[in-house]
Amino acid sequence: MLMGTYTPRLDDKGRLFLPAKFRDQLSEGLVVTRGQERCLTVWPRPAFEQLAQQAQQAPVTDRAVRDYTRLLFAGASDDQPDKQGRLSIPPMLREYASLTRDVIVIGVVNRLEIWDAARWQEYSDAREQAFSDLGEEVFPRD
């Protein structure tokens, strides 16, 4: 399971050190792509392959499916961390998420998200009250 919040920095070449805690889970490869709310999503390769299988089974006659899969897969970049545990983020994806030097990496169960630090702070501050109010609606009790 991927969880926690980390604050690595992007270097001048657009690389960041993946938190050591996540490196084993990503050592066999990963896929970086656009996420919702202008963050980036880092999928362990097996999780992304599962998502790709779901996309293949979805009806291409559904406009929402076409729109989502186009943006998700067009922006996808498969990679493998280097020996130092660094991940290179392509310029197009850095631009999409407005990433500069200060970033936040969060673990979200089966994926990581990479956020511009200021954007993450705005997002989390704006949703704090809704988070407090939603507990039982998001995960209903059996």
Side-chain angles (χ1 to χ4, degrees):
M1 184 180 337
L2 302 168
M3 59 184 169
T5 301
Y6 303 86
T7 56
R9 289 201 163 154
L10 281 178
D11 68 14
D12 294 336
K13 295 180 182 178
R15 299 174 301 192
L16 66 82
F17 281 98
L18 289 168
K21 184 176 183 178
F22 302 138
R23 291 181 193 168
D24 284 345
Q25 292 165 287
L26 301 171
S27 65
E28 294 182 27
L30 55 86
V31 176
V32 182
T33 190
R34 294 178 179 119
Q36 280 87 7
E37 291 83 35
R38 292 269 181 190
C39 70
L40 300 181
T41 303
V42 179
W43 300 91
R45 191 177 312 273
F48 192 78
E49 288 171 357
Q50 185 178 26
L51 182 64
Q53 288 175 352
Q54 291 173 333
Q56 286 178 325
Q57 295 171 1
V60 295
T61 55
D62 184 323
R63 182 178 192 85
V65 169
R66 291 192 314 273
D67 290 344
Y68 183 81
T69 55
R70 283 177 183 144
L71 291 175
L72 181 72
F73 288 88
S77 173
D78 62 334
D79 204 349
Q80 191 154 353
D82 68 14
K83 290 181 173 124
Q84 287 86 28
R86 292 178 299 194
L87 170 63
S88 293
I89 301 175
M92 177 189 76
L93 291 176
R94 290 195 313 263
E95 184 178 328
Y96 169 79
S98 301
L99 300 181
T100 54
R101 187 156 182 79
D102 295 322
V103 299
I104 302 290
V105 176
I106 61 171
V108 189
V109 186
N110 65 341
R111 66 192 185 277
L112 300 178
E113 291 182 350
I114 302 172
W115 290 76
D116 168 75
R119 182 172 276 151
W120 170 251
Q121 192 62 52
E122 290 170 14
Y123 175 85
S124 59
D125 288 349
R127 284 160 184 86
E128 180 58 37
Q129 187 59 50
F131 171 72
S132 297
D133 297 340
L134 280 176
E136 290 189 17
E137 289 102 30
V138 173
F139 302 115
R141 296 181 182 179
D142 294 333

